[in-house]
Amino acid sequence: MTGVWVLLATLVVAVVAGLLLKARNGRVRAAKPAAAARDLAQLPTPVADALDPAAAVTLVQISTTFCAPCRHTRAILSALADKTDGLHHVDLDVTEQPEVAHALSVLRTPTTLALAADGRELLRVGGVPKGPELLEALRPHLEAGTAADAH
């Protein structure tokens, strides 16, 4: 009888863990204060080099070679950047550069960082982003960039 209770408890824990992971996947999160205060000089060189100074927001996708969801994320973000003014997308493969992921506190791939032209982190998404939700979260930053360009 003890084995049945252990099996049942294991099943419950697995289901709860699965539901939590599913709920967090693709969720847009605001940048932590330390990341939001970061500037270009504090970014790892490959990330700083990937920023587009002409874009209000650069989406930096942190990927690895063996990551299947990264391909889906690349398609979503590329399409979003192609149809949105002021938005640039770059896919950064960190398979051979784990120090870059470590410096950015990236624990999983894909992770998408939305960075301002000055290197400040605006938000991040762990997992495959939901395009409309991401665009909605970016809208104030894109509009601010457009207003700054008009002056």
Side-chain angles (χ1 to χ4, degrees):
M1 188 67 173
T2 302
V4 172
W5 286 112
V6 169
L7 179 62
L8 186 60
T10 303
L11 271 168
V12 168
V13 169
V15 167
V16 168
L19 290 173
L20 284 173
L21 286 173
K22 185 176 181 182
R24 291 189 64 178
N25 189 43
R27 190 180 64 159
V28 176
R29 295 180 300 147
K32 293 181 179 172
R38 188 183 300 143
D39 64 12
L40 275 174
Q42 296 167 317
L43 286 174
T45 303
V47 177
D49 291 347
L51 290 181
D52 182 354
V57 177
T58 298
L59 297 175
V60 179
Q61 176 185 341
I62 307 297
S63 301
T64 52
T65 304
F66 49 84
C67 169
C70 293
R71 289 188 287 280
H72 187 59
T73 297
R74 186 178 311 112
I76 291 169
L77 297 180
S78 292
L80 206 58
D82 287 346
K83 68 179 183 181
T84 307
D85 289 336
L87 189 61
H88 178 69
H89 168 246
V90 71
D91 186 1
L92 188 61
D93 187 333
V94 297
T95 303
E96 302 294 327
Q97 310 173 69
E99 67 280 357
V100 172
H102 179 72
L104 297 170
S105 300
V106 171
L107 301 175
R108 66 184 280 199
T109 58
T111 292
T112 303
L113 307 175
L115 302 175
D118 63 4
R120 287 177 301 114
E121 184 177 322
L122 306 170
L123 54 88
R124 71 172 50 203
V125 179
V128 179
K130 297 167 185 75
E133 288 178 19
L134 179 58
L135 191 56
E136 187 59 34
L138 290 172
R139 186 129 350 257
H141 305 290
L142 294 169
E143 290 169 357
T146 304
D149 291 341
H151 295 294

